[in-house]
Amino acid sequence: MSDRRRNGTRDRLIRVATGLFRRRGVAGVGVGEICAGAQVTKGVFSHHFPGGKDELVVAVVDRNGADVSGQLAAFGSGDAADSVQALFRAYASAMRLKGNDFGCPVAAAVVDGATSTAPAISAANVAFDRWRVILGERLGDDDMGALVVAALEGAILLARAEKEPATLERVGDALAQLIEPATRSAG
């Protein structure tokens, strides 16, 4: 099997799992369903993820963590409060486009402690920490970076529960109002 084909299959498994984990959480999705969505057999799945679903969860968290890090870096230009507002609005737009159940696969890896593994928790911690650092650098305060990550994840949960993406916008607007004076005085 060529490397491109092998990587394509692995990428497809990660992409399918990411979508399913976003909507139903890690515990709510089985390997058979992931294989069906990716149009592969369980043998092919095992070839790409010999550590099973636990290894796939870490790959999903790593991939999404890196993707979001790139997106956060793109929000780095302009006013800090405007950047935070844009971040929350972007997620609200994605939720409107993809459905009210569009959650965070990184959070999904740790939210159900009964099924979370140490490697998945560690990978999620790395992703969240990377986001916190990027935002902290942008906002001039590491604690503010942590606040934005926590507020975003909480707003995603509220928006899903309410089936209302506008919740993300309201939280982002309120957070931007809190951040603006703090970043102005730090600058």
Side-chain angles (χ1 to χ4, degrees):
M1 178 184 292
S2 74
D3 282 345
R4 185 182 318 155
R5 187 169 161 205
R6 175 175 160 64
N7 289 338
T9 301
R10 181 179 172 81
D11 288 346
R12 192 168 61 249
L13 284 161
I14 292 170
R15 189 176 60 251
V16 167
T18 299
L20 291 169
F21 295 165
R22 277 185 185 282
R23 297 182 188 297
R24 297 207 325 263
V26 172
V29 178
V31 170
E33 186 175 6
I34 295 165
C35 291
Q39 299 178 332
V40 301
T41 65
K42 286 185 179 180
V44 169
F45 174 88
S46 294
H47 173 75
H48 290 282
F49 296 99
K53 184 178 172 185
D54 292 344
E55 184 180 345
L56 174 63
V57 170
V58 171
V60 165
V61 169
D62 287 346
R63 171 81 51 86
N64 187 256
D67 290 348
V68 171
S69 291
Q71 293 167 356
L72 291 176
F75 285 106
S77 60
D79 179 76
D82 290 344
S83 295
V84 167
Q85 226 171 1
L87 172 64
F88 281 72
R89 288 186 181 285
Y91 206 100
S93 293
M95 188 176 272
R96 283 187 184 97
L97 180 67
K98 298 179 185 234
N100 290 329
D101 60 349
F102 188 73
C104 174
V106 175
V110 296
V111 77
D112 183 1
T115 60
S116 298
T117 64
I121 292 168
S122 178
N125 187 46
V126 167
F128 287 141
D129 192 55
R130 193 177 313 137
W131 301 349
R132 178 194 52 75
V133 167
I134 291 168
L135 290 164
E137 288 172 355
R138 175 70 189 100
L139 298 168
D141 183 332
D142 197 50
D143 289 339
M144 287 292 236
L147 176 64
V148 173
V149 172
L152 179 61
E153 290 297 335
I156 291 168
L157 290 174
L158 286 173
R160 288 184 72 186
E162 295 170 357
K163 298 185 183 329
E164 183 51 66
T167 298
L168 281 147
E169 293 164 339
R170 287 193 309 276
V171 171
D173 292 348
L175 189 57
Q177 288 178 355
L178 293 172
I179 286 172
E180 186 173 16
T183 56
R184 196 174 333 124
S185 65

